[in-house]
Amino acid sequence: GEDPRPEDRAGAEEELRWMELGSEETLGAATEGPGAPRAWGRLLQAVWRGHLGLTTQMLRQGASVEERDHAGRTPLHLAVLRGHVPLVRLLLQRGAPVGAADHAGRTPLHEAAWQGHSQVAELLLLRGAPAGARTGDGLTPLHWAAALGRTLLAGRLLSTPGPGPAVADVRGWTAAHWAAVGGRLPVLELLAAGGCADLDGALLVAAAAGRSAALCLLLACGARADARDGAGATALGVAAGLGRRQDMEVLLDHGADPSLKDRHSRSALHRAAAAGHLLAVQLLAAWGAEVDAGDSLGLTPLHHAARGGHVDVASHLLDRGAQVNAAGWLHKTPLHVARERGHGPTVELLLSRGASHTQIMPWGEVAQDLVPEGGLPQALPGYQPQG
């Protein structure tokens, strides 16, 4: 019953801190800072240290299995975190609340999923642990098992009555999303085999995370190559905006349509050009993407390349037949946009490829960057703004 030695206590604190930071950063679960074991009650300390005999003695003397630390964790939470099966059995036999949630909403089953303690999870489930319990961020134990690649545990959770794989957390992610973003292929395959997973949503997440193997698996399991997110962007558009040429090739080979646009009428080519990803632009152009397609503001991929000062991308688009004087919103051409952003090399390229430095915008403005002094006037004689 003595207090832990300082060096042991420091090690326990460090390990607990790592665990909590891991759940915060990997799964976004809100949590309070770790409690120092020395500030815990004696039962919590005994459980954390794995003292079965001492814990048994303290329970006989009236210690409460519902004791909490400052983060709301019970002795059962700590026993599960440590993976101490005999202590978990003892606490359950003594009536420990199997579904107790800490201040972040995590139950002992959440902790078993986080640590991958399948035997402990089985004990909890046999005692009626709620498989559908949700943290403050809406995460279930299945979400955690999927995110961390706990295949056996995920399979056990799927066989337990509850909300199943279709339940989403507060950001709208299902277990399949978490498995995809982590590249957890065995879990992802298990979820896909169940037939209830959101494969299209998982495909978009895999594209954003650059998980090529997950993309291939999801497509093979029936995900649509042209799946769209809430903004109407396709998986191809997401991959193009990130310059992930390999993922784009996978999607295109599976029938992704490069002409599809999002809610702002931006295509995958718009996204790749705006981000300056030359290889992605070359790939899309080779697959027949329309180089002069306008977005909701009438801006073409060349406008977007000019706005970002991406000379090599602008040059390739021009080589593929892009209109150098295409007029978008407020009649702005790529030259206007490049000039406004101060991209001198892009301005020079556009002028060398035939851009008109006399093309008029509303209110009489002309694009005249790099025009010799004394050349063009600020506004053409006789021009009157409309209205």
Side-chain angles (χ1 to χ4, degrees):
E2 296 178 354
D3 288 339
R5 292 176 301 171
E7 57 268 27
D8 291 341
R9 190 165 60 228
E13 290 180 32
E14 182 179 354
E15 184 172 358
L16 183 57
R17 181 60 179 157
W18 181 89
M19 291 173 185
E20 291 199 346
L21 283 177
S23 26
E24 243 179 32
E25 295 171 359
T26 306
L27 298 176
T31 182
E32 299 181 16
R38 64 187 174 194
W40 291 345
R42 295 172 67 84
L43 177 61
L44 291 171
Q45 290 193 42
V47 170
W48 182 255
R49 296 292 304 279
H51 292 316
L52 181 61
L54 179 58
T55 301
T56 303
Q57 179 184 349
M58 294 178 70
L59 290 172
R60 287 173 179 169
Q61 293 174 351
S64 174
V65 292
E66 298 193 22
E67 181 180 346
R68 303 264 183 164
D69 69 3
H70 87 291
R73 287 177 293 244
T74 66
L76 185 58
H77 280 93
L78 299 185
V80 171
L81 276 169
R82 302 298 271 178
H84 201 302
V85 176
L87 271 176
V88 171
R89 283 200 180 100
L90 172 64
L91 291 167
L92 289 172
Q93 289 168 0
R94 294 285 181 165
V98 71
D102 65 13
H103 295 335
R106 296 188 299 246
T107 66
L109 188 57
H110 280 98
E111 302 296 1
W114 171 256
Q115 296 298 322
H117 297 320
S118 298
Q119 186 178 0
V120 170
E122 184 66 27
L123 291 174
L124 295 171
L125 289 168
L126 289 174
R127 285 281 181 165
R134 307 180 72 166
T135 68
D137 289 329
L139 295 161
T140 66
L142 180 58
H143 285 117
W144 286 27
L148 296 166
R150 317 294 192 198
T151 310
L152 292 176
L153 188 49
R156 179 66 177 87
L157 291 168
L158 285 170
S159 67
T160 302
V167 65
D169 61 17
V170 294
R171 68 193 296 173
W173 282 22
T174 67
H177 289 80
W178 283 110
V181 77
R184 311 297 186 181
L185 301 186
V187 178
L188 194 55
E189 189 170 13
L190 181 66
L191 292 166
C196 298
D198 178 11
L199 299 185
D200 288 353
L203 184 77
L204 290 158
V205 169
R211 300 291 186 180
S212 300
L215 273 178
C216 293
L217 174 60
L218 288 163
L219 288 166
C221 289
R224 294 177 300 162
D226 285 328
R228 295 175 181 263
D229 64 15
T234 63
L236 180 63
V238 171
L242 296 170
R244 304 191 190 281
R245 180 175 177 128
Q246 181 180 353
D247 294 348
M248 294 170 62
E249 289 174 339
V250 169
L251 291 163
L252 288 165
D253 287 339
H254 281 81
D257 185 351
S259 69
L260 296 181
K261 299 182 177 182
D262 62 20
R263 286 190 315 195
H264 301 288
S265 295
R266 285 191 286 262
S267 66
L269 186 58
H270 282 97
R271 289 170 172 258
H277 297 306
L278 177 60
L279 294 179
V281 168
Q282 291 172 335
L283 177 64
L284 290 167
W287 276 78
E290 186 181 352
V291 294
D292 281 327
D295 62 16
S296 59
L297 295 177
L299 303 179
T300 67
L302 184 59
H303 280 94
H304 286 276
R307 187 175 187 271
H310 305 305
V311 179
D312 51 353
V313 171
S315 178
H316 185 74
L317 290 170
L318 290 167
D319 289 342
R320 299 290 300 193
Q323 296 299 310
V324 70
N325 290 315
W329 182 64
L330 295 179
H331 304 291
K332 289 186 178 182
T333 66
L335 182 61
H336 286 116
V337 176
R339 172 195 164 207
E340 289 174 352
R341 293 283 171 166
H343 297 309
T346 307
V347 170
E348 292 178 357
L349 169 70
L350 293 169
L351 288 172
S352 71
R353 302 293 288 269
S356 172
H357 48 64
T358 61
Q359 188 159 344
I360 305 172
M361 293 168 55
W363 313 298
E365 182 184 352
V366 296
Q368 55 178 338
D369 205 356
L370 299 184
V371 177
E373 186 177 354
L376 293 171
Q378 290 293 324
L380 295 182
Y383 177 78
Q384 298 295 325
Q386 295 180 357

